[in-house]
Each structure stands twice: as structure tokens, then as C-alpha cells.
């Protein structure tokens, strides 16, 4: 059987090399920047209710990012990462899924959580690592997660979630659930060994997982041409025997359409899908980064013109599903809400000192308990050095 | 009770775990129809189907990444790494992911249902990459449990406990003993406690401590010493992390002397952790320096394996030196 596998193509008698770029990969585009849809395009399954929910989520995302960067600049927040210019990939992807589907994020997909209804309070509590944070203040800002909303908690280690998504999806399949796992990652993370591991295992083990790559042109300062020389990430999916599509990641209708089809296929056939969404990281990598050191203003300006939120707004206006008065009112509402939430979250206490040793194991070991007791005695001795915890236990 | 070898004991534990819970899944390289290169998973695919016992592609980081996801989903994931020497490609998935899963998510998610089985240790002419004992690398990782059995009875009871423990466990199997160690093992389901050392032999002059395949070495040395009138208390640590400080310090307070022996290299091996802790817990009871009989600080050699290993003669000499200090 294995020898047949190698011989099922044509045989030649002169050396014939295949060029890596010889396979053309088309890019799905449904919506033009002016808000019109291409005449022959297949529209996704969308009505006014869903469209409005998506548009509001995108708008909220933009406002939230702007406000939180300001908060970081003011020194109220230690760290932040925006998804400027890429909001359609996370929001559109989540909008194509069912609530029981698991979402695994890299870190620039908070839009998926916003679409699922993660509360403003939950976002703020995580960002300010206070006592009410679901993650108990242990991880850096933007490392969100929610069991209730089926959104796996983010970790900093790039691409580790990719083989995990395969395993998670395999578990869903074993249980016979009508559920898939979507796994987001950037084009930089796709260079990690875990990308190879996750995609190959998903193909071989036939796991219903949607691999969603945000190809935004940069991994921090490294441009895509220093990340890979093949035809993007999509060409690799073909090599693993995975059904693959490339889409315009700034086109919300293309994101929605591709993900809707991918979900239906993954559930029905119990097989993986790879989506490569072409986009551009309009903002800095994080609040610790300044992109002016490695790219031009002209390049950024060019991509400003492809703004995914503006594109959807143009479409919504043309559909008569939205108007400027609604837009102004919504922006004002969101700005006020976010600012008010910052003020509430930043004054909530830090987590209790006892949470330092819980959840390392299901039950803290005797050794851990002894170590905590030692720290507590120390804090009591030098209360002025530990203002967050002193006098609070 | 039947007399079976260590491999059969492992196989029996896996069989029970899979029969007991239909969400239990075993996978790894060559684990499927073939039953594993050591035959630990023999017959499981036939009995429970290809969906629950299968071959993975040859990718250790993928095996453990997949296992993390599967366990987070609520399945019972039993992953095999073919040799402990090849666990390092999965180090990131074990140390940064599995071990920190519950902590970093605030217990929103966990991979408590994960067990990683892997054959470890030397003495089989395995050279550099079929002989290593990497337990100390994992002992430095909060969130993991690390377990090593010494015989078939321990192997079955500790593996069943590891599979059912609600924390990720790295379970090292002494491959030198896979067929060499034979003993009475109950056919039914039983568990041995994790985190508890076992006093195998009581004594009064010196405490000898080891784990896994090294246990038979120190037992042999203890017999030689007893012929010279030295009474050794022999202890099997069984769980490396979190380890049983109480049982060890209790014994050392009685004997006043401690010798720790491991297959792994000396520097920063787990014996160092034990020595430092016991020195601190039992300072006023110690009558001699704590002895460590370990592998050399070299890669594991092939031709000079006999000279390299911490065998019973090296342990015997160290016992005499410690008692006569």
C-alpha cells in the first residue's frame, strides 16, 4: 500500500523539479472596500441581526484597543496588544461558529471573546490582574480565557496551542459532539515545530479542527519574507493533505463565508481545514514595540485604506442596516463604558496571597503550604515592602 | 495473584484503565496494532478499537501537545514517549504547557487527566540515547508529578494511581526490568499512593535511598553490608515530585546517616535536592556527610557502561565509608 502511494503520479525519465510557487493559490474576496459585493460572489449566511452584532463587536474592539493603549501610555496598565487592522479575522471567525465550539487563541484574537460575550468587566479584571480576574492575576495582560464561553486561556508560548487544538478536536470527535475547535495563530508562529506537529497529526488522526492563520506580514519586526520562502502558509496545508483556503482577512464576508464552510466540512467529514487570512498588522506588535524602526509610514498608509471595519461599515450603509447617527451614538457609548470600566477595575484589590500556591496542583502539597507560610511570616515582618498583601491575611 | 513481569503489569494497568473509562485513550509511536516497541500496549487496539489506541506520527512535541489538548477536553490521555531520551522535543509542551495549565488559567482549564509513560534508564547497552534518566529535569517543574516504580506490583499500582490522579504525571518505566523483574501482581484493580515513599527494609545504622531500577542495586549492597554487621534501612522514594520528605527525614533521624543513589549524573541530580533538604531537616541528627552514589557527569557511554554506572559495589563502598566516617 505504501509503495502505491509513491507511484500514483506520472513517472518521468528526465529530472523534473517542481517549483515551490508553481501552484497558484487564489484569495477569496467577497466585499470591496467601497462596500459593494462582487457580482458573482457567494455571500455567507448572514442577516441584519448577525451583521449588526458583528459590526458592533468590530467597533467595540477598535474603541477598546484605542482606550487601552492610552491607559498603558498613562502608566495605568503594564502591557497591552491591539489587533488594529485585523479585527475581522477573530470576530468573523467566531461569528461562523456555534457556542459549543472551542476557540484557541494566540493573543491577537480578543475579538472572538468579544463576539462570544466576554464581559467588559472580565476583560478589565484580566488586564489589571486584580482579585476578580478569572485567571487570578497570574498571567500578563491580554492572556484571557473562559471555560464558560469555550475560549481556551491564552499562553505566551507561540504555537503550542496548535497540536493542543488537534487533541481537543479529537476528543470532541470521540464523544460524537456536534463541535469543532478553531485554532488561531500568526504567520510567525507557523514557523514553530508545533505548527508542523499539529497540522500533520490533525490530518492523520482526522480531527475536526479549523486552523486559522492570520498572515499580517510581520512577526514583531520580522517581515514575512524573512519568515518563509514558500507560497505563504496555505501552500503547506496542501502538503499535509489538508483542505486549504486563502482569504482576504480584511473582508468580513470572506472570513465569515470561509469559516462557515470550514465548520460544516470539519463536522461532517471529521477532517481539518486550514484558512490563511491575508491582513496587515496596522498597530505596533505590542505596547513594548515601535514599528517605525522597521517599516515605512507609506506602507502603513496603504493598508489604512483596506481597513476592515470601514469596509463593513460601507456595506452596512449600503444595505440600509446602519447610519451615521447610530455610528456616533455607539462610539460615544463604548468610549464611556470602557473608561468607566477601567476606573472600576484598577482599584480592585490584587489577588489574595493564598492564591500564589493554589492550582499548581489540584491540592497544594505540604511543601507548598510550608513555603507560603514562610512568605506570609516574612510579609508580616516587613509590611511596608509588600503593600498589596500586608495586613490582608 | 499471578507471577508476571513489569511489562505485563503495565499492560494490565492500561487494560484496566481503558475498560474502566471509555474516554481513556492510549497513543504514541508504534503503540497501535504492533503494541509498542516493548509491547506495553499489546492487544489494546484489538480490544478497544483504533480510535482509542493508535499510532501517532513520529513527533514527540506533537504527541504531548495533542495529549494536552485531549486532556483539557476531558478525555483521559495516556501518551507514550518511546524512550525517555526522546522526551526533550516535548519539553516545552510538558514544562510550559502541561505543568502550568491549571495555574495559568486560574483553574478554568486543566490537564489533570494526562499521563506520560516513558521507558528510562541504562544497563541495556543503550549508549547515549537509550539509557538516560531525565527525572531531575522534570523535578524542577512545579505542577508536574514524577513517578518511578521498581517492580511489577509497584508498576501496576502506581500507574493506575497516576492515570487517575488529577494532575499531569510523568511516569518513568525502568526498561532494564521490563522482562527481568517478575513478581506477584493482583489481577484486579488496585492503586498505590503517589507522594509516598516505601520503607522496603528496616535498619538502624544507615538509610539507603533510591528509586526505580536503582532499588535492586542498593538492596544488593545492603545485603553485602549486613554480612559485615551493618544494618541498612532501605527506602524506595517511588514519587520524585512531590517527594515524601517526612518518611526520609524520619528514617535519617533514626539512623543518623543517609546514602542516596541514582542512575543519572551527579551534578544537579535529584539526589542533590534530597541531600540539601535532609541536611536542613536533620542537621542535628546527622553523624556523617550525606553520600551520593550517582552516574558520572558525562553523557551515558556505551563501551564503558559497567564503569559508568553506580553499581552495587560502588554503593557498598560508599556505605562503609559513611558508616566509618
Amino acid at each position: 500500500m505504501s509503495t502505491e502511494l509513491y507511484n500514483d503520479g506520472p513517472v518521468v525519465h528526465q529530472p523534473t523539479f517542481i517549483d515551490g510557487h508553481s501552484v497558484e493559490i487564489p484569495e477569496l474576496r467577497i466585499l470591496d472596500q467601497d462596500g459593494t459585493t462582487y457580482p458573482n460572489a457567494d455571500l455567507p449566511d448572514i442577516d441584519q441581526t448577525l451583521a449588526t452584532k458583528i459590526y458592533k463587536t468590530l467597533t467595540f474592539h477598535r474603541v477598546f484597543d484605542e482606550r487601552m493603549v492610552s491607559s498603558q501610555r498613562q502608566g495605568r496598565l503594564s502591557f497591552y496588544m491591539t489587533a488594529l487592522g485585523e479585527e475581522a479575522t477573530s470576530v468573523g471567525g467566531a461569528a461562523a461558529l456555534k457556542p459549543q465550539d472551542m476557540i484557541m487563541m494566540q493573543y491577537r484574537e480578543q475579538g472572538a471573546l468579544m463576539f462570544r460575550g466576554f464581559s467588559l468587566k472580565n476583560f478589565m479584571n484580566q488586564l489589571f490582574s486584580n482579585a476578580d480576574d478569572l485567571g487570578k492575576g497570574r498571567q500578563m495582560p491580554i492572556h484571557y480565557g473562559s471555560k464558560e464561553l469555550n475560549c481556551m486561556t491564552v499562553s505566551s508560548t507561540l504555537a503550542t496551542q496548535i497540536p493542543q487544538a488537534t487533541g481537543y478536536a479529537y476528543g470532541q470527535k470521540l464523544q460524537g459532539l456536534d463541535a469543532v475547535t478553531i485554532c488561531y495563530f500568526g504567520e510567525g508562529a507557523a514557523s514553530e515545530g508545533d505548527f508542523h506537529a499539529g497540522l500533520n497529526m490533525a490530518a492523520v488522526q482526522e480531527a475536526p479542527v479549523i486552523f486559522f492563520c492570520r498572515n499580517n506580514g510581520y512577526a514583531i519586526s520580522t517581515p514575512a519574507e524573512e519568515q518563509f520562502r514558500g507560497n505563504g502558509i496555505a501552500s503547506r496545508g496542501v502538503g499535509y493533505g489538508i483542505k486549504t483556503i486563502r482569504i482576504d482577512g480584511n473582508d468580513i464576508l470572506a472570513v465569515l463565508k470561509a469559516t462557515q464552510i470550514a465548520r460544516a466540512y470539519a463536522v461532517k467529514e471529521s477532517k481539518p481545514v486550514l484558512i490563511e487570512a491575508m491582513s496587515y498588522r496596522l498597530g505596533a506588535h505590542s505596547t513594548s514595540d515601535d514599528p517605525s524602526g522597521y517599516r515605512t509610514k507609506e506602507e502603513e498608509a496603504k493598508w489604512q485604506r483596506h481597513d476592515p471595519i470601514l469596509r463593513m461599515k460601507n456595506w452596512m450603509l449600503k444595505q440600509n442596516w446602519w447610519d451615521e447617527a447610530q455610528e456616533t451614538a455607539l462610539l460615544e457609548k463604548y468610549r464611556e463604558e470602557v473608561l468607566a470600566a477601567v476606573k472600576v477595575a484598577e482599584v480592585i484589590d490584587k489577588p489574595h496571597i493564598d492564591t500564589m500556591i493554589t492550582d499548581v496542583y489540584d491540592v497544594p502539597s505540604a511543601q507548598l503550604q510550608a513555603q507560603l507560610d514562610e512568605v506570609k511570616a516574612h510579609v508580616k515582618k516587613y509590611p511596608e515592602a509588600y503593600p498589596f498583601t500586608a495586613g490582608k491575611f | 495473584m499471578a507471577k508476571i513481569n513489569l511489562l505485563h503489569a503495565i499492560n494490565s494497568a492500561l487494560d484496566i484503565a481503558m475498560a474502566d473509562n471509555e474516554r481513556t485513550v492510549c497513543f504514541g509511536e508504534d503503540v497501535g496494532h504492533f503494541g509498542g516497541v516493548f509491547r506495553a500496549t499489546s492487544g489494546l487496539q484489538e480490544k478497544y478499537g483504533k480510535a482509542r489506541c493508535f499510532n501517532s506520527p513520529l513527533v514527540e512535541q506533537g504527541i504531548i501537545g495533542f495529549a494536552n489538548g485531549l486532556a483539557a477536553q476531558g478525555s483521559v490521555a495516556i501518551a507514550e514517549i518511546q524512550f525517555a531520551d526522546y522526551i526533550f522535543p516535548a519539553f516545552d509542551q510538558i514544562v510550559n504547557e502541561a505543568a502550568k495549565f491549571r495555574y495559568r488559567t486560574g483553574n478554568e482549564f486543566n490537564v489533570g487527566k494526562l499521563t506520560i509513560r516513558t521507558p528510562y534508564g541504562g544497563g541495556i547497552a543503550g549508549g547515549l540515547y537509550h539509557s538516560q534518566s531525565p527525572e531531575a529535569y522534570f523535578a524542577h517543574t512545579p505542577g508536574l508529578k514524577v513517578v518511578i516504580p521498581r517492580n511489577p506490583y509497584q508498576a501496576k499500582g502506581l500507574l493506575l494511581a497516576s492515570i487517575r490522579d488529577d494532575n499531569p504525571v510523568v511516569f518513568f518505566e525502568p526498561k532494564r526490568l521490563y522482562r527481568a523483574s517478575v513478581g506477584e501482581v493482583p489481577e484486579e484493580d488496585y492503586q498505590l499512593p503517589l507522594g509516598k515513599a516505601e520503607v522496603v527494609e528496616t535498619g538502624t545504622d544507615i538509610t539507603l535511598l533510591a528509586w526505580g531500577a536503582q532499588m535492586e542495586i542498593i538492596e544488593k549492597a545492603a545485603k553485602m553490608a549486613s554480612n559485615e554487621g551493618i544494618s541498612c534501612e532501605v527506602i524506595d522514594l517511588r514519587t520524585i515530585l512531590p517527594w515524601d520528605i517526612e518518611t526520609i527525614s524520619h528514617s535519617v533521624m533514626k539512623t543518623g546517616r543517609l546514602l542516596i543513589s541514582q542512575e543519572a549524573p551527579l551534578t544537579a541530580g535529584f539526589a542533590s535536592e534530597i541531600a540539601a533538604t535532609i541536611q536542613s531537616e536533620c542537621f542535628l541528627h546527622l553523624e556523617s556527610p550525606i553520600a551520593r552514589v550517582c552516574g558520572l557527569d558525562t553523557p551515558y557511554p556505551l563501551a564503558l557502561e559497567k564503569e559508568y554506572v553506580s553499581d552495587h559495589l560502588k554503593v557498598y563502598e560508599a556505605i562503609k565509608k559513611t558508616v566509618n566516617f
Side-chain angles (χ1 to χ4, degrees):
Chain A
M1 186 184 142
S2 58
T3 49
E4 283 170 28
L5 187 72
Y6 290 107
N7 290 330
D8 64 1
V11 173
V12 293
H13 304 292
Q14 295 81 37
T16 307
F17 294 89
I18 299 164
D19 186 84
H21 290 265
S22 63
V23 180
E24 278 190 22
I25 302 173
E27 181 180 306
L28 175 69
R29 199 172 292 166
I30 293 175
L31 186 60
D32 202 356
Q33 193 62 31
D34 67 4
T36 53
T37 53
Y38 289 93
N40 58 344
D42 288 338
L43 293 185
D45 188 8
I46 187 167
D47 58 13
Q48 185 175 356
T49 310
L50 179 61
T52 308
K53 183 177 177 187
I54 292 173
Y55 185 68
K56 284 183 170 178
T57 309
L58 290 170
T59 306
F60 175 76
H61 199 330
R62 188 61 65 82
V63 168
F64 189 82
D65 279 353
E66 284 167 358
R67 281 284 179 256
M68 297 324 292
V69 168
S70 305
S71 295
Q72 197 279 334
R73 295 286 179 248
Q74 292 165 358
R76 298 161 95 168
L77 195 60
S78 62
F79 179 80
Y80 192 73
M81 295 175 110
T82 76
L84 228 62
E86 296 177 69
E87 297 93 338
T89 56
S90 57
V91 177
L97 302 176
K98 293 194 175 175
Q100 67 267 30
D101 296 334
M102 169 55 68
I103 296 176
M104 293 202 187
M105 301 168 281
Q106 177 169 295
Y107 49 58
R108 217 182 291 284
E109 299 91 2
Q110 57 267 50
L113 273 162
M114 289 165 182
F115 187 85
R116 283 258 166 115
F118 198 60
S119 70
L120 186 50
K121 215 195 268 181
N122 275 336
F123 274 110
M124 287 303 165
N125 292 337
Q126 201 287 326
L127 291 171
F128 286 95
S129 40
N130 63 32
D132 292 343
D133 169 28
L134 290 178
K136 302 180 188 169
R138 289 168 182 153
Q139 293 211 84
M140 284 174 75
I142 66 102
H143 291 55
Y144 315 106
S146 166
K147 174 92 177 163
E148 189 196 345
L149 297 178
N150 278 318
C151 292
M152 180 63 73
T153 308
V154 170
S155 73
S156 309
T157 42
L158 282 184
T160 49
Q161 78 277 17
I162 302 177
Q164 290 172 11
T166 300
Y168 201 97
Y170 188 80
Q172 291 171 317
K173 170 183 154 178
L174 273 188
Q175 279 191 281
L177 304 175
D178 167 24
V180 300
T181 297
I182 193 168
C183 178
Y184 283 103
F185 51 90
E187 90 289 346
S191 295
E192 294 280 2
D194 272 340
F195 167 87
H196 160 69
L199 268 74
N200 192 41
M201 287 187 79
V204 173
Q205 253 69 56
E206 303 189 340
V209 53
I210 301 168
F211 297 110
F212 196 115
C213 177
R214 294 176 295 97
N215 187 342
N216 64 13
Y218 287 90
I220 308 186
S221 74
T222 305
E225 63 263 26
E226 290 172 28
Q227 200 66 245
F228 50 77
R229 284 298 163 97
N231 190 346
I233 308 303
S235 65
R236 300 184 203 165
V238 179
Y240 289 114
I242 292 178
K243 200 181 255 303
T244 299
I245 189 169
R246 176 175 287 160
I247 61 172
D248 181 341
N250 288 15
D251 173 351
I252 190 75
L253 297 185
V255 174
L256 193 62
K257 179 77 183 173
T259 317
Q260 282 173 347
I261 294 174
R263 189 193 184 278
Y265 170 83
V267 169
K268 183 162 178 284
E269 303 292 329
S270 186
K271 281 181 184 158
V273 181
L274 171 63
I275 298 173
E276 182 184 28
M278 309 309 286
S279 187
Y280 187 82
R281 197 196 72 213
L282 269 182
H285 165 69
S286 73
T287 50
S288 311
D289 170 52
D290 173 13
S292 68
Y294 52 81
R295 68 187 192 192
T296 62
K297 288 276 167 222
E298 292 73 44
E299 182 184 300
E300 289 176 13
K302 188 191 123 195
W303 278 92
Q304 293 277 9
R305 294 195 288 274
H306 297 289
D307 187 334
I309 302 182
L310 187 59
R311 194 184 302 186
M312 185 175 192
K313 183 185 165 188
N314 290 339
W315 181 65
M316 295 287 281
L317 294 174
K318 281 202 162 64
Q319 301 283 111
N320 286 322
W321 288 352
W322 198 248
D323 61 45
E324 290 296 346
Q326 283 175 294
E327 176 87 5
T328 310
L330 191 71
L331 284 173
E332 197 178 335
K333 174 175 174 281
Y334 284 158
R335 282 172 187 151
E336 279 171 13
E337 281 176 3
V338 173
L339 210 58
V342 168
K343 285 178 182 160
V344 172
E346 68 185 351
V347 295
I348 295 174
D349 259 358
K350 294 291 162 207
H352 193 273
I353 192 166
D354 287 357
T355 62
M356 211 155 66
I357 66 157
T358 54
D359 306 328
V360 178
Y361 296 97
D362 56 342
V363 180
S365 64
Q367 283 102 309
L368 273 180
Q369 195 58 55
Q371 289 172 14
L372 177 68
D373 292 345
E374 213 172 302
V375 172
K376 282 169 133 178
H378 176 80
V379 169
K380 276 191 176 152
K381 196 169 175 189
Y382 297 98
E384 68 289 346
Y386 308 97
F388 288 141
T389 45
K392 287 177 187 160
F393 58 86
Chain B
M1 289 280 222
K3 274 203 158 203
I4 58 171
N5 66 25
L6 202 146
L7 265 177
H8 283 132
I10 298 282
N11 187 254
S12 167
L14 294 174
D15 191 2
I16 287 171
M18 292 189 83
D20 175 46
N21 182 345
E22 61 170 24
R23 294 189 69 186
T24 305
V25 185
C26 287
F27 53 96
E29 294 157 16
D30 304 297
V31 164
H33 174 67
F34 183 60
V37 293
F38 291 103
R39 321 315 301 266
T41 53
S42 182
L44 298 179
Q45 188 178 84
E46 286 67 21
K47 206 161 164 185
Y48 301 103
K50 227 179 155 175
R52 291 182 54 200
C53 178
F54 54 86
N55 289 338
S56 72
L58 210 163
V59 56
E60 286 78 12
Q61 67 190 92
I63 294 170
I64 304 304
F66 182 96
N68 277 332
L70 191 60
Q73 193 269 339
S75 301
V76 180
I78 307 175
E80 178 180 306
I81 298 294
Q82 202 159 72
F83 287 86
D85 311 63
Y86 306 126
I87 204 166
F88 299 110
F91 204 62
D92 186 43
Q93 283 285 352
I94 298 172
V95 172
N96 277 329
E97 298 295 314
K100 297 171 177 55
F101 226 99
R102 192 190 296 272
Y103 193 73
R104 73 157 183 242
T105 67
N107 205 18
E108 285 281 291
F109 298 94
N110 72 80
V111 294
K113 292 182 162 67
L114 167 67
T115 304
I116 302 167
R117 297 177 36 246
T118 186
Y120 89 99
I124 59 146
L128 275 71
Y129 305 112
H130 300 84
S131 307
Q132 293 182 62
S133 300
E135 67 271 15
Y137 290 102
F138 298 99
H140 196 59
T141 307
L144 293 180
K145 291 194 177 182
V146 179
V147 178
I148 313 186
R150 72 172 184 280
N151 63 29
Y153 176 75
Q154 301 288 323
K156 181 171 173 179
L158 288 171
L159 181 53
L160 277 166
S162 298
I163 291 167
R164 290 158 182 167
D165 188 86
D166 202 15
N167 298 283
V169 178
V170 184
F171 191 85
F172 288 105
E173 299 167 3
K175 63 178 167 299
R176 182 165 63 79
L177 304 182
Y178 265 157
R179 292 187 174 81
S181 179
V182 177
E184 296 277 348
V185 176
E187 276 162 46
E188 67 271 14
D189 191 340
Y190 66 94
Q191 294 182 51
L192 296 171
L194 304 187
K196 285 266 173 276
E198 188 195 7
V199 179
V200 176
E201 232 173 282
T202 54
T204 51
D205 297 332
I206 183 170
T207 302
L208 306 187
L209 176 63
W211 48 90
Q214 199 60 17
M215 282 307 295
E216 66 167 18
I217 307 284
I218 66 167
E219 287 185 78
K220 204 166 168 186
K223 268 201 188 76
M224 291 172 72
S226 86
N227 292 338
E228 305 215 357
I230 302 170
S231 164
C232 301
E233 180 141 303
V234 179
I235 303 180
D236 179 1
L237 190 60
R238 298 200 294 194
T239 302
I240 304 295
L241 189 71
W243 67 288
D244 185 355
I245 297 175
E246 206 184 331
T247 298
I248 313 307
S249 39
H250 188 257
S251 171
V252 174
M253 283 185 200
K254 181 179 74 177
T255 62
R257 293 184 168 87
L258 176 63
L259 180 154
I260 312 152
S261 186
Q262 70 191 26
E263 287 188 51
L266 174 77
T267 300
F270 199 65
S272 309
E273 177 59 33
I274 297 168
T277 305
I278 296 302
Q279 185 265 152
S280 154
E281 295 281 313
C282 309
F283 188 72
L284 295 175
H285 300 265
L286 284 169
E287 291 172 37
S288 60
I290 296 170
R292 289 176 294 159
V293 185
C294 306
L296 273 62
D297 288 334
T298 70
Y300 198 106
L302 181 66
L304 296 178
E305 181 171 34
K306 268 201 174 320
E307 287 72 15
Y308 172 85
V309 298
S310 28
D311 64 8
H312 62 286
L313 294 173
K314 289 181 184 171
V315 175
Y316 171 62
E317 283 303 316
I319 293 171
K320 287 194 293 182
K321 200 175 154 193
T322 304
V323 170
N324 297 325
F325 179 79

